[in-house]
Amino acid sequence: MQIDRRSFLLSGAAASVFTALPAWSAPADGSAELAALFDTMFAEGLQLNPEGATQLGLDKGVNAGLRAKLSDASDAGRAAARALTDKQLKQLAAIDRAALNPADQLNYDVVLYTRRSSKAVQAFDFGGSAYGPSPYVISQQSGAYQSTPSFLDTKHPINNGDDADAYLARLAAFADQLDGNTDRFRHDVGLGVVPPDFLIDKTLTQMAALRVPADAATVVTSIAQRAKEKGLGDHYAAEAARRYTESVLPALDRQIAAVRAVRPSATHDAGVWKLKQGDEFYQVALTANTTTRLTPAEVHQFGIDQAKMLVDRMDGVMRRAGMSGGSVGERLAAIYKLPGQIFPNTDAGKVAAIDYCNGRLAAIRDRLPQAFKRMPPYRFEVRRVPKETEAGAASAFSQSPAIDGSRPGLVYFNLQDSAEWPKFMLATVVYHEGLPGHQFEGGLALSNTGLPLIRKVGGFSGYGEGWALYAEQLADELGMYDGDPLGQIGYLKEALFRAHRCIIDTGMHHFKWSRERAMALFIEGQGEAPGFAEREIDRYCANPGQACSYKLGHASFVKLRDKAQAVLGPRYDIKDFHDAVLGCGRVPLEILEQVGNAWIAAAAKG
């Protein structure tokens, strides 16, 4: 297979894609054939994911038409995704890997891994996606009903009439997405794939909150306000209200009816083991998320071992701080009750919490040059999760900046109940989601001119979440908790939280734990508020395997760093280590180990 990359770059969708991005400085001895294939694959993927094009700031130029589209949730859309995966796997198989230089071999291996992983997930004729493969196309965290309104409000730009027209087109497409999800939901129910009763209840609660008249609907008020601010008049608001009332609301009603119809037959079983292909699905989801070959039983035992080590360490820190009465979980719960730990559960109190988080983000930024050679060229900030989706949203999460810097990287906190976020817990989550965690790692990837575009925007939960948890540890090592023992306890509590996730996720999906048993480990073992524990457990029910990626990934980074320190001795430099594990871009954990070992060997020869 021969592809003229120069011709491709000057034609079609790719032309606008590449002019919007930092240049890729491909090695002079690199494979033009592979580079062209990567560019083609990236552009093809963009066509199937218009929301991603907008989020990255790539819906411009020839690709401007994507700004008026949403991804296709119908059977045809799913079939197109499967067909594209098959085609790209065949194209990759036609490349002679042995003839590539080392950098190209790494890129090839990573991209091939992603397509094989997609193929494994797509083999199941049910489910959708949220934070990763989900058995349920509609849940409290999966489905267009909860993702598209937030996307339109926070990601779709409205700077002129063309943007507003594109928004209206997407509003109409939203109704099609809803119907596509509803059709797939009914199909999956026919296969016996029904969410547990508590997920259905939460989903219906969220749907009811979204099912409001046009003058109260975010998808209408968002364009009304922003169009008015740009001097575009009132007609966009009126047209959005009409489309919402005539198309979106009926589609949402059809979806609500479909979900309500299965509620009487839903069971309370939390794990996917109850599904016909549940065991197979869980192993695939676990592998896809962690990028390891570990079995559920191995991950479960890993979590138990890590939790014991962390409880012992936390007990020592607590005793030095004068906290010795009761179990570690009881002492953690007691911290919530200390004066000044809980921000008022009011809008003003929640503004104060977000201000505090942005202050922590600014404070650590000045210390990062102590550990890194390169800084991401983007702005970052902390925001509150929109009220409409608080009930089912994750407790905290991160969204990448636009690749051209036109929109900052965002860290979101779910402040539905301020009591769930005591002050001693906030800082370490800022470091995880923001700097030097997700936003730092992601910003370096997006701005890395040594990576092809298809690798800049791709990701692996094991690597990304593992790095973010390692970033929490690094913040401690950089002195962010000096003189703040409660803050350090909060950091260790988050590490314990991730170890417990490995136990709980495998417990529910493999060992048939109940939801209540899983919640008890969070509440009793680490002093969590019941509402927080419930929301987290429900997330794992809808996203099997993903919760295990954090601690496994963290262990991979720490293992490599420990080995580098032992082998290199006085020649070890933490900046060089970080350059090696971040400069390679996002990779599966098994490839990270290969990259790290190769760097250590080269540095040892030095």
Side-chain angles (χ1 to χ4, degrees):
M1 178 187 62
Q2 296 294 323
I3 301 175
D4 183 347
R5 181 171 185 265
R6 173 176 166 79
S7 298
F8 173 78
L9 288 176
L10 296 177
S11 67
S16 64
V17 171
F18 292 99
T19 56
L21 297 166
W24 173 26
S25 302
D29 63 341
S31 166
E33 181 182 11
L34 184 66
L37 177 59
F38 284 164
D39 294 341
T40 301
M41 291 172 69
F42 179 81
E44 289 172 337
L46 213 60
Q47 296 301 310
L48 292 184
N49 183 21
E51 295 95 332
T54 295
Q55 183 159 333
L56 289 168
L58 301 182
D59 53 354
K60 302 173 182 178
V62 177
N63 272 348
L66 292 178
R67 189 169 294 188
K69 298 178 180 179
L70 296 174
S71 53
D72 187 351
S74 70
D75 285 349
R78 294 169 68 98
R82 289 194 297 270
L84 183 59
T85 298
D86 289 340
K87 186 187 85 166
Q88 292 178 348
L89 280 169
K90 291 178 181 178
Q91 291 172 322
L92 287 166
I95 298 288
D96 182 5
R97 183 190 182 280
L100 303 175
N101 66 26
D104 276 348
Q105 286 183 342
L106 175 61
N107 290 329
Y108 178 90
D109 291 344
V110 173
V111 174
L112 179 62
Y113 191 102
T114 66
R115 294 323 186 251
R116 285 176 172 170
S117 181
S118 294
K119 177 76 172 177
V121 173
Q122 291 167 351
F124 296 92
D125 188 29
F126 62 84
S129 63
Y131 289 88
S134 174
Y136 311 120
V137 68
I138 298 172
S139 72
Q140 88 286 11
Q141 289 193 326
S142 57
Y145 85 93
Q146 53 84 38
S147 62
T148 297
S150 176
F151 165 77
L152 289 174
D153 180 39
T154 63
K155 303 298 182 297
H156 183 104
I158 297 181
N159 296 310
N160 52 50
D162 288 342
D163 290 344
D165 289 336
Y167 185 106
L168 291 177
R170 276 179 158 164
L171 189 57
F174 178 32
D176 294 333
Q177 276 190 328
L178 289 170
D179 282 333
N181 284 165
T182 302
D183 290 342
R184 289 302 307 182
F185 181 79
R186 292 194 176 105
H187 165 273
D188 292 358
V189 168
L191 298 176
V193 180
V194 178
D197 53 11
F198 51 89
L199 291 194
I200 290 181
D201 290 342
K202 189 162 288 187
T203 300
L204 288 171
T205 296
Q206 290 188 170
M207 288 177 168
L210 289 167
R211 200 219 172 281
V212 294
D215 60 0
T218 298
V219 293
V220 176
T221 59
S222 178
I223 187 174
Q225 178 181 344
R226 291 190 285 156
K228 184 177 181 179
E229 290 172 352
K230 294 297 181 180
L232 300 177
D234 297 329
H235 67 284
Y236 285 109
E239 181 60 18
R242 184 187 70 80
R243 295 189 184 197
Y244 174 80
T245 302
E246 295 180 3
S247 299
V248 175
L249 269 184
L252 182 58
D253 284 341
R254 289 189 288 271
Q255 189 164 109
I256 291 173
V259 176
R260 279 180 178 162
V262 303
R263 175 59 178 84
S265 62
T267 71
H268 197 65
D269 296 322
V272 294
W273 57 266
K274 66 183 179 181
L275 306 179
K276 184 177 180 180
Q277 294 179 279
D279 291 340
E280 296 90 340
F281 183 89
Y282 185 53
Q283 184 62 70
V284 167
L286 190 64
T287 300
N289 280 296
T290 68
T291 61
T292 71
R293 302 176 188 271
L294 297 175
T295 66
E298 290 171 330
V299 174
H300 192 78
Q301 187 59 50
F302 167 81
I304 291 172
D305 295 341
Q306 288 289 306
K308 183 180 184 306
M309 179 268 293
L310 287 162
V311 166
D312 290 344
R313 183 179 173 192
M314 197 180 304
D315 179 60
V317 175
M318 286 178 162
R319 289 182 182 278
R320 288 192 294 274
M323 303 171 61
S324 58
S327 68
V328 165
E330 289 169 340
R331 280 176 273 172
L332 285 170
I335 297 176
Y336 283 64
K337 301 175 183 178
L338 294 177
Q341 279 299 313
I342 303 299
F343 288 91
N345 199 32
T346 62
D347 285 340
K350 293 169 184 180
V351 169
I354 296 300
D355 287 344
Y356 173 80
C357 291
N358 277 308
R360 291 294 81 204
L361 194 66
I364 197 170
R365 186 182 287 112
D366 294 336
R367 302 197 186 194
L368 297 182
Q370 299 176 34
F372 299 98
K373 293 181 177 180
R374 193 163 69 95
M375 300 285 288
Y378 298 106
R379 296 173 293 118
F380 307 105
E381 64 181 77
V382 182
R383 295 182 182 176
R384 177 185 174 185
V385 170
K387 293 181 181 180
E388 294 84 357
T389 56
E390 285 178 335
S395 300
F397 56 92
S398 180
Q399 291 183 346
S400 64
I403 200 165
D404 62 357
S406 59
R407 187 187 64 256
L410 301 175
V411 173
Y412 285 97
F413 276 83
N414 189 329
L415 297 178
Q416 183 181 30
D417 182 355
S418 296
E420 296 176 3
W421 279 116
K423 193 173 184 179
F424 84 108
M425 291 299 307
L426 289 172
T428 195
V429 181
V430 169
Y431 307 144
H432 178 103
E433 301 290 351
L435 306 176
H438 284 310
Q439 294 294 349
F440 187 91
E441 175 270 315
L444 288 182
L446 287 176
S447 60
N448 188 341
T449 59
L451 293 177
L453 304 181
I454 199 168
R455 291 204 52 218
K456 286 177 183 286
V457 301
F460 302 91
S461 189
Y463 179 92
E465 299 297 354
W467 171 265
L469 188 52
Y470 169 79
E472 296 184 43
Q473 174 181 328
L474 185 62
D476 183 40
E477 295 167 348
L478 288 172
M480 295 304 295
Y481 301 117
D482 289 354
D484 180 17
L486 289 183
Q488 187 177 48
I489 290 171
Y491 144 61
L492 291 173
K493 178 176 179 291
E494 282 296 278
L496 177 62
F497 173 42
R498 275 40 177 265
H500 280 160
R501 278 177 163 179
C502 292
I503 302 170
I504 287 170
D505 196 89
T506 53
M508 290 193 300
H509 294 296
H510 181 70
F511 292 107
K512 302 183 180 180
W513 281 24
S514 68
R515 182 199 195 204
E516 289 70 26
R517 180 178 177 182
M519 287 177 58
L521 180 55
F522 272 160
I523 295 169
E524 298 168 10
Q526 59 187 53
E528 293 295 358
F532 181 97
E534 176 185 301
R535 192 163 55 248
E536 283 294 316
I537 297 306
D538 291 353
R539 168 184 166 183
Y540 314 154
C541 293
N543 297 272
Q546 196 271 339
C548 302
S549 61
Y550 300 70
K551 202 68 183 73
L552 288 168
H554 169 262
S556 294
F557 282 103
V558 171
K559 178 182 176 182
L560 277 174
R561 194 177 79 166
D562 289 347
K563 180 177 180 179
Q565 290 174 312
V567 172
L568 300 179
R571 287 180 292 174
Y572 170 79
D573 186 325
I574 194 170
K575 293 182 181 180
D576 292 336
F577 171 73
H578 290 157
D579 224 29
V581 297
L582 291 176
C584 65
R586 297 152 170 169
V587 295
L589 292 181
E590 59 186 50
I591 294 180
L592 175 66
E593 184 175 5
Q594 297 168 14
V595 170
N597 286 332
W599 171 77
I600 293 170
K605 292 179 180 178

